[in-house]
Amino acid sequence: MKAFASISLVLLGLLSSTFASPVAVTERDVSSSVYDDLVRYTKYSSASYQLLCVSPLGNTLVQSFSVGNTQGFIARDDTRKEIVVSFRGSFSLADAATDVNLFLVPFTSPGIAQSFNVHAGFLAAYNDVANVVLSTVKSQASKFPSYSVVVTGHSLGGALAALGAVSIKTALPQVSMKLYTFGQPRTGDKQWAAFVEKTVGVNNIFRAVHTFDGVPTLIPQFLGYQHHSTEYWQFSDPGLLTDPATTVKKCSGEEDSSCSDSILSTGINAAHVFYFGQVMAVNPLLCV
């Protein structure tokens, strides 16, 4: 299994790659508002790569966290009444080592213990920051009880976001929550996938995959892994005169063979670092 390379190295591929999907799909089943939210939380996920993000998308930075090799932030949007938790994706050789720790281990994290199994490296990375994430979100939810919680991340950050969403929702079952991930690798086994869907709700999960991004299918199912619902596959990039929402398909079930699972994984590629108009990790203006 080839290790996840640094995102910064992959950015070089953008100079010589295009993002057109090899598969023609014409079905439209997402609204413009869903598409706009995918764009919004892509930006939060991209912003988490910045070394300093003083005002994520112009909103209040509540807490940055950096423990071990896990980084991200918690922001508060007082206009939309949201508490947003964003996890950074792979960006270093240390992250790559985390990514290839493929053993499945029981999901044990502060405040939650389950018999289903998740990726050992991803779990260790989340547990590095679990206490600070939980304590900060609990404090914010107590101060702003009408606010919803959104958890998001790209690449490795998407896997951490899924683990974090389950952890937060278990600790705060009364909060309204949504989970947005972009280029998320398979994170756990079939029982894990079912638990995510039950805990967060399939209608509150937006697992986005961009065209031929190879990371979501890089960790194979034969190792015991399975994705959770609900995938939103952007099967082609919008043209100048194309309604962007028509390029995204809401998929069915956990492993829809008509969506990104239909494309052979090529690992980290150009499509992995380009999501909904954002070249991930390179835009510091998302933090002011």
Side-chain angles (χ1 to χ4, degrees):
M1 181 69 64
K2 184 179 179 180
F4 282 16
S6 169
I7 291 293
S8 57
L9 294 178
V10 179
L11 290 175
L12 297 175
L14 292 172
L15 298 176
S16 59
S17 301
T18 61
F19 300 105
S21 169
V23 178
V25 181
T26 58
E27 180 179 354
R28 172 184 179 177
D29 46 296
V30 304
S31 66
S32 294
S33 62
V34 167
Y35 187 88
D36 290 344
D37 283 341
L38 290 168
V39 172
R40 171 178 295 274
Y41 299 110
T42 299
K43 291 179 179 179
Y44 274 111
S45 297
S46 183
S48 66
Y49 284 97
Q50 297 300 313
L51 294 177
L52 183 64
C53 196
V54 296
S55 183
L57 276 64
N59 296 305
T60 301
L61 175 65
V62 176
Q63 178 75 56
S64 294
F65 51 84
S66 179
V67 182
N69 297 309
T70 307
Q71 292 82 32
F73 60 73
I74 299 167
R76 191 181 69 247
D77 183 336
D78 293 315
T79 300
R80 292 171 63 93
K81 295 187 175 182
E82 291 177 344
I83 300 161
V84 181
V85 185
S86 181
F87 290 88
R88 196 194 76 175
S90 301
F91 205 61
S92 70
L93 293 177
D95 287 340
T98 297
D99 291 340
V100 296
N101 187 352
L102 293 171
F103 295 107
L104 284 164
V105 297
F107 183 24
T108 302
S109 190
I112 182 172
Q114 296 289 333
S115 60
F116 54 72
N117 296 309
V118 296
H119 183 290
F122 298 161
L123 179 62
Y126 172 68
N127 280 343
D128 279 346
V129 297
N131 285 321
V132 66
V133 168
L134 286 172
S135 62
T136 304
V137 174
K138 285 179 179 178
S139 175
Q140 288 294 297
S142 176
K143 293 176 182 177
F144 303 94
S146 65
Y147 283 34
S148 61
V149 175
V150 178
V151 189
T152 190
H154 167 256
S155 191
L156 165 63
L160 302 183
L163 295 168
V166 167
S167 178
I168 294 167
K169 185 66 173 177
T170 299
L172 297 169
Q174 76 281 4
V175 302
S176 174
M177 173 181 284
K178 289 187 177 180
L179 169 63
Y180 288 82
T181 70
F182 305 90
Q184 176 191 341
R186 293 186 176 105
T187 306
D189 62 17
K190 182 177 181 180
Q191 290 72 34
W192 148 258
F195 190 78
V196 179
E197 294 167 8
K198 178 182 178 182
T199 304
V200 181
V202 293
N203 293 326
N204 298 320
I205 301 172
F206 301 80
R207 182 173 60 79
V209 179
H210 177 226
T211 60
F212 58 94
D213 182 356
V215 170
T217 51
L218 180 60
I219 300 176
Q221 287 183 271
F222 67 74
L223 292 179
Y225 285 83
Q226 179 175 291
H227 270 307
H228 57 73
S229 299
T230 302
E231 180 183 352
Y232 286 76
W233 185 35
Q234 186 169 39
F235 49 83
S236 67
D237 287 293
L240 293 177
L241 301 179
T242 305
D243 179 353
T246 64
T247 67
V248 179
K249 178 181 181 180
K250 182 179 179 181
C251 305
S252 177
E254 293 79 16
E255 300 278 356
D256 189 337
S257 61
S258 70
C259 288
S260 66
D261 196 41
S262 65
I263 297 176
L264 183 67
S265 175
T266 53
I268 292 185
N269 52 30
H272 182 61
V273 294
F274 186 85
Y275 267 82
F276 299 103
Q278 293 293 309
V279 180
M280 305 302 291
V282 301
N283 186 1
L285 296 180
L286 296 173
C287 291
V288 296

